[in-house]
């Protein structure tokens, strides 16, 4: 029988899992258990990455500041103060178990360039091959809103996708999602398995803690991103870090027992699961600890396509007609005749949104040639700047040189530079309502 392959496991810890919300003191018992769990996974042969928030929270404690400030410069200063102490804390805890770690600080700008994205990917893999546990955080010292991931939940999902990880654990202050609010409904049942996030209805109103930025909505966005890239995303309680090891061992054993010829645990899990699997309130005595598991897509978006869809901030929008959309779906490039409108100020080879609209026979009241219908279908890297596309849109490719004085390409977008969203890959906040999980951070 083929030897089971090792897994790549990404563990995301929010600030409220690392520091006390009121005193900002590090939660050493939880951190110690996280370290013990990560080392045990490593010694079992698995590859482990930790995405750790907490720099600002630790900085608050170091500087004796009661509340998280609102000014960006102050936040960045606290992040700079806290990050070195946070890494010192991690290093000290891992050193007791003789486990080397590495620090990786990222902003969205660092991976917006394809070459730098690949360099980051190669660095991660080199560290993991050396038996090192990378500890990742957003570079809050330098990041501004334009280049922020938004939350470390999103950063952890992008990291997991970059590494083709098997599991992404989003550690929270609750066990899992429930079909009803367990505080007001004693018969509320935990949701164990979700095959399709669009089938889930959940309360996304809960915000993060006073020292963090996350909440329910960011967990669901991360789950959508991770599963679209082929990653199993798991929500479980951070105060019981041993859950990670128990869940991994349970899924690993279940996969290797049931799959037989399969190389991946995800394939067998998808085949065996229903769209929404509810456990009894107490859980199974023979099963894993309470958790919610979002199963990965059977047709994942990876590598260049994931990078184009989810790591680049669009600099503008091009509106195309239905005929151009059909041509793109049929693997053809986007010709200027199919472009209806352009918004934004972008340069050649920059990312844009691609939106399908109805082309009007004459300009509407706003002077535009597009109707009310609009559907964003994907992202693209353009061959021409926005001002140039505005001049050539609606014209034949043979007219480009006459209109611009040159013609770099007959296409506004080459087909290989265009990626379509799928049902599970749209980067939008799910609009979901009644499954509730109170206090999720």
């Amino acid at each position: 029988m083929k030897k089971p392959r090792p897994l790549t496991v990404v563990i995301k810890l929010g600030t409220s899992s690392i520091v006390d919300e009121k005193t900002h003191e590090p939660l050493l018992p939880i951190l110690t258990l996280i370290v013990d769990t990560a080392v045990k996974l490593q010694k079992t042969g698995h590859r482990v990455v930790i995405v750790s928030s907490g720099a600002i929270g630790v900085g608050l404690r170091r500087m004796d500041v009661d509340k998280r400030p609102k000014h960006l410069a102050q936040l960045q200063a606290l992040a700079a103060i806290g990050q070195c102490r946070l890494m010192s804390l991690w290093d000290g805890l891992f050193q007791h178990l003789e486990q080397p770690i590495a620090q990786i600080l990222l902003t969205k700008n660092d991976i917006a360039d394809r070459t730098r994205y690949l360099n980051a990917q190669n660095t991660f893999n080199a560290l993991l091959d050396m038996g090192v546990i990378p500890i990742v955080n957003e570079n809050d010292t330098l990041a501004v809103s334009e280049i922020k991931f938004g939350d470390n939940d999103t950063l952890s999902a992008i990291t997991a996708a970059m590494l083709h990880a098997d599991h992404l654990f989003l550690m929270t202050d609750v066990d899992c999602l429930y079909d009803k609010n367990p505080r007001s409904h004693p018969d509320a049942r935990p949701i164990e398995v979700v095959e399709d996030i669009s089938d889930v209805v959940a309360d996304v109103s809960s915000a993060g803690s006073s020292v963090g930025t996350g909440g329910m909505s960011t967990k669901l966005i991360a789950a959508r991103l991770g599963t679209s890239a082929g990653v199993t995303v798991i929500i479980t309680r951070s105060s019981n870090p041993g859950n990670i090891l128990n869940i991994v061992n349970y899924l690993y054993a279940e996969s290797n027992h049931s799959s037989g010829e399969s190389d991946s645990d995800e394939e067998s899990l998808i085949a065996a699961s229903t769209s929404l699997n509810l456990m009894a309130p107490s859980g199974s005595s023979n099963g894993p600890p309470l958790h919610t598991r979002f199963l990965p897509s059977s047709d994942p978006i990876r590598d260049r396509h994931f990078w184009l869809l989810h790591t680049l901030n669009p600099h503008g929008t091009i509106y195309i007609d239905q005929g151009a959309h059909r041509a793109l779906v049929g693997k053809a490039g986007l010709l200027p005749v199919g472009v209806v409108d352009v918004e934004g100020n972008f340069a050649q080879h920059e990312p844009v949104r691609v939106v399908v609209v109805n082309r009007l026979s004459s300009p509407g009241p706003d002077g535009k040639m597009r109707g009310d219908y609009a559907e964003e279908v994907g992202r693209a890297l353009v061959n021409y700047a926005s001002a140039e596309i505005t001049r050539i849109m609606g014209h034949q490719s043979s007219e480009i040189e006459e209109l611009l004085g040159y013609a770099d390409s007959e296409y506004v977008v080459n087909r290989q530079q265009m990626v379509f969203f799928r049902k599970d890959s749209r980067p939008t906040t799910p609009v979901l309502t009644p499954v509730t999980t109170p206090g999720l951070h």
Side-chain angles (χ1 to χ4, degrees):
M1 181 178 291
K2 185 184 297 185
K3 183 179 178 181
R5 66 175 178 83
L7 303 177
T8 298
V9 180
V10 177
I11 302 169
K12 185 270 172 179
L13 298 165
T15 300
S16 60
S17 301
I18 292 173
V19 298
D20 184 272
E21 186 174 345
K22 294 182 179 179
T23 68
H24 305 145
E25 290 283 356
L27 300 173
L28 289 176
I30 292 179
L31 296 178
T32 301
L33 289 172
I34 287 286
V35 167
D36 182 64
T37 297
V39 172
K40 284 179 179 175
L41 284 169
Q42 188 92 339
K43 288 183 177 178
T44 309
H46 303 310
R47 294 156 37 117
V48 182
V49 175
I50 293 176
V51 178
S52 169
S53 304
I56 293 175
V58 173
L60 289 170
R61 178 69 189 92
R62 177 68 181 88
M63 299 305 295
D64 240 355
V65 177
D66 291 333
K67 295 182 180 179
R68 183 184 174 101
K70 296 181 180 179
H71 295 295
L72 177 63
Q74 292 176 320
L75 285 171
Q76 291 178 324
L78 287 170
I81 294 165
Q83 185 62 35
C84 60
R85 290 182 69 86
L86 180 62
M87 284 307 299
S88 176
L89 180 62
W90 279 122
D91 193 45
L93 292 172
F94 275 106
Q95 190 174 12
H96 289 299
L97 299 177
E98 300 183 348
Q99 172 60 51
I101 64 171
Q103 175 180 247
I104 296 182
L105 295 176
L106 294 172
T107 66
K108 210 166 187 180
N109 219 29
D110 293 321
I111 56 176
D113 178 79
R114 180 64 179 162
T115 300
R116 295 172 72 182
Y117 178 90
L118 293 173
N119 286 342
Q121 188 178 53
N122 291 337
T123 299
F124 270 114
N125 285 319
L127 288 168
L128 293 170
D129 290 343
M130 294 166 64
V132 175
I133 294 179
I135 297 184
V136 187
N137 195 2
E138 182 157 16
N139 192 352
D140 292 318
T141 301
L142 299 177
V144 292
S145 59
E146 290 80 10
I147 59 173
K148 284 182 71 67
F149 290 97
D151 185 87
N152 269 358
D153 291 320
T154 302
L155 172 60
S156 68
I158 290 175
T159 299
M162 183 188 297
L163 296 174
H164 299 173
D166 298 277
H167 301 308
L168 166 60
F169 283 86
L170 301 175
M171 307 303 290
T172 73
D173 56 6
V174 294
D175 292 306
C176 57
L177 303 181
Y178 289 85
D179 64 336
K180 293 182 254 187
N181 190 331
R183 290 177 177 170
S184 53
H185 296 84
D187 61 340
R189 292 192 297 167
I191 300 174
E192 181 187 24
V193 177
V194 177
E195 184 175 337
D196 187 343
I197 295 178
S198 62
D199 289 340
V200 179
V201 273
D203 181 3
V204 298
S205 61
S206 67
S209 67
S210 63
V211 290
T213 59
M216 169 66 81
S217 62
T218 62
K219 302 291 184 296
L220 293 177
I221 291 170
R224 185 178 294 274
L225 287 175
T227 55
S228 74
V231 181
T232 299
V233 180
I234 297 165
I235 289 176
T236 191
R237 187 180 288 273
S238 60
S239 59
N240 297 318
N243 286 357
I244 298 172
L245 192 60
N246 293 333
I247 293 168
V248 168
N249 288 340
Y250 174 83
L251 298 180
Y252 201 47
E254 181 184 82
S255 168
N256 293 324
H257 175 74
S258 63
S259 62
E261 299 175 2
S262 174
D263 286 336
S264 85
D265 53 347
E266 291 84 3
E267 292 175 3
S268 60
L269 288 172
I270 290 173
S273 301
T274 58
S275 176
L276 200 63
N277 185 8
L278 299 177
M279 295 191 300
S282 60
S284 170
S285 59
N286 297 322
L290 282 180
H291 68 284
T292 296
R293 181 162 79 256
F294 298 88
L295 297 184
S297 168
S298 58
D299 183 23
I301 302 170
R302 282 181 170 161
D303 299 319
R304 182 178 177 82
H305 285 180
F306 185 91
W307 168 77
L308 183 55
L309 281 179
H310 297 302
T311 69
L312 301 179
N313 287 327
H315 294 182
T317 304
I318 54 175
Y319 296 89
I320 64 174
D321 60 26
Q322 302 282 355
H325 183 218
R326 286 192 295 271
L328 284 166
V329 171
K331 306 299 183 184
L334 175 61
L335 297 168
V337 70
V339 179
V340 179
D341 198 6
V342 178
E343 281 185 355
N345 183 18
F346 50 86
Q348 185 181 31
H349 303 311
E350 288 190 336
V352 299
R353 302 176 190 87
V354 179
V355 177
V356 178
V357 296
N358 290 327
R359 183 189 290 273
L360 302 178
S361 57
S362 60
D366 58 358
K368 302 289 187 181
M369 294 294 296
R370 51 186 170 92
D372 294 334
Y373 169 80
E375 180 186 3
E376 185 179 357
V377 295
R379 300 284 166 82
L381 297 178
V382 291
N383 289 330
Y384 295 96
S386 53
E388 295 168 327
I389 298 175
T390 300
R391 293 173 64 184
I392 65 175
M393 66 183 187
H395 292 272
Q396 299 296 322
S397 296
S398 57
E399 301 176 75
I400 293 177
E401 186 167 5
E402 179 183 346
L403 292 167
L404 299 182
Y406 73 97
D408 277 353
S409 171
E410 65 178 311
Y411 298 112
V412 172
V413 174
N414 294 331
R415 182 58 184 88
Q416 60 267 33
Q417 303 284 32
M418 164 78 197
V419 184
F420 286 105
F421 293 128
R422 298 177 190 165
K423 178 183 178 183
D424 59 356
S425 70
R426 292 179 183 274
T428 55
T429 303
V431 181
L432 308 169
T433 69
V435 176
T436 58
T437 304
L440 180 60
H441 304 317

